[in-house]
Amino acid sequence: MSEVSSDRPATATWAGGLMLLEGLGMIGLAVWLAVSALGDPLEHIGGGLFLAVLAAGSALFLAVAGKAMLDGKAWSRAAAVVWHVLLLGVALGTFDGGQGPVPLALVMAALAITVFALVLRKSVTGWLRREER
């Protein structure tokens, strides 16, 4: 076991793991968007493929940030906070007056609040604030 993982707080492990799982979910979303875009009428293919590429980029961002959180990189905390504030905004917008997919919105909101709370814990902030690893 490496030095970084031996003294890593459990909250940082959970936050990094959840971000990696979010990245996997975004990969699935990117594939679904690309496949459904190819079945759309010709005038909608460009927009659908753009969304697929955006989702794939988000998946890469989450994978890198999640791995950085597990490795103890200080910048990963800022990446997690920014991403989960945006995710919370998307979740609130997904409610759409009760007409949207409410269970999906609740899952996104719960995930955003959970990871946000984990990365702001004193144990995580102190661990990420350490000098060079």
Side-chain angles (χ1 to χ4, degrees), residues 62-74:
L62 283 166
V64 170
K67 175 76 169 93
M69 176 69 68
L70 294 175
D71 290 343
K73 306 293 183 198

Side-chain angles (χ1 to χ4, degrees), residues 12-111:
T13 303
W14 276 100
L18 286 172
M19 289 172 65
L20 289 173
L21 283 175
E22 285 178 89
L24 286 175
M26 289 299 288
I27 288 172
L29 178 65
V31 169
W32 178 78
L33 286 168
V35 168
S36 67
L38 295 175
D40 282 347
L42 191 56
E43 64 269 6
H44 299 293
I45 290 176
L49 290 178
F50 172 76
L51 284 176
V53 170
L54 188 64
S58 298
L60 179 64
F61 169 77
L62 283 166
V64 170
K67 175 76 169 93
M69 176 69 68
L70 294 175
D71 290 343
K73 306 293 183 198
W75 65 265
S76 64
R77 179 174 177 247
V81 168
V82 168
W83 177 261
H84 291 94
V85 165
L86 292 173
L87 183 62
L88 187 58
V90 169
L92 293 175
T94 303
F95 277 110
D96 194 25
Q99 302 300 316
V102 174
L104 177 63
L106 291 174
V107 168
M108 287 191 299
L111 184 62

